[in-house]
Each structure stands twice: as C-alpha cells, then as structure tokens.
Amino acid sequence: AIGAAIRKVVEEQEAFLEPHLTVQDVATRCGYNRTYVAGVFKTRLGGFFTYVNTLRLNYADAYRTEHPAASLTEIVEASGFSSRSSYYAVKAKLQK
C-alpha cells in the first residue's frame, strides 16, 4: 500500500519533476510518516536519490526525443533537475 502510494505521487502525479522534492514532501502527500516512506525508498525502490533521479533521466531522454530542437538547459529544467551541473552529476553517478 505504501509503495503504491509513493509511486502514485512520484510517478503518476510527476512529483519527480519538482527540482527540490524531498522524502518529506512525498511522505506528506502520501499521508504516511517520513520514516516509513524513507524505509520503503531504501528497501524497495533503491533509495530516494536513485529512484527520483532515474525517473528524471528517463524523462530527459524522452523529452529530448519529443523536442529535438530543445536546448540542454530546457531539457534539464523540464526534467526536474535544478541545474545542468546536477544533471551531469546524476547522469555520471547513475549511468555507469
């Protein structure tokens, strides 16, 4: 139930597109305690950072395909990254 609630908020409602999204934000929207939500991220979803940023990277790839004329800055901002440098850092860490 809690995993489904997290997926609904983060994926279906596209909360991952918010650059400053936190575990607390997700917990509040799901109506669950932050500790429980953080535990589910860690045990079932690979961790908050990995889960959210993998969704952002996938979104960036899809956005690039759908908007071939878009600048990297536009793609990065549309995908929920706070900056180009954070995009590059996440990409380097998650796409080894």
Side-chain angles (χ1 to χ4, degrees):
I2 188 170
I6 290 170
R7 282 192 185 89
K8 181 174 184 184
V9 168
V10 178
E11 293 179 35
E12 292 175 31
Q13 296 175 6
E14 296 188 329
F16 69 92
L17 295 178
E18 299 168 23
H20 304 290
L21 184 70
T22 65
V23 173
Q24 182 61 59
D25 294 335
V26 176
T28 300
R29 292 182 205 176
C30 290
Y32 287 99
N33 177 294
R34 183 197 174 283
T35 305
Y36 290 129
V37 171
V40 171
F41 274 120
K42 186 173 183 178
T43 59
R44 289 197 254 159
L45 300 170
F48 180 76
F49 173 89
T50 301
Y51 177 67
V52 169
N53 285 308
T54 297
L55 292 170
R56 288 176 177 161
L57 288 173
N58 292 340
Y59 189 91
D61 290 343
Y63 192 92
R64 183 181 290 114
T65 300
E66 292 170 21
H67 304 89
S71 68
L72 180 61
T73 301
E74 183 184 331
I75 293 165
V76 165
E77 288 174 358
S79 304
F81 291 100
S82 55
S83 66
R84 285 172 57 164
S85 59
S86 67
Y87 167 78
Y88 284 124
V90 166
K91 193 170 173 83
K93 183 169 183 171
L94 296 179
Q95 294 185 338
K96 294 176 183 164

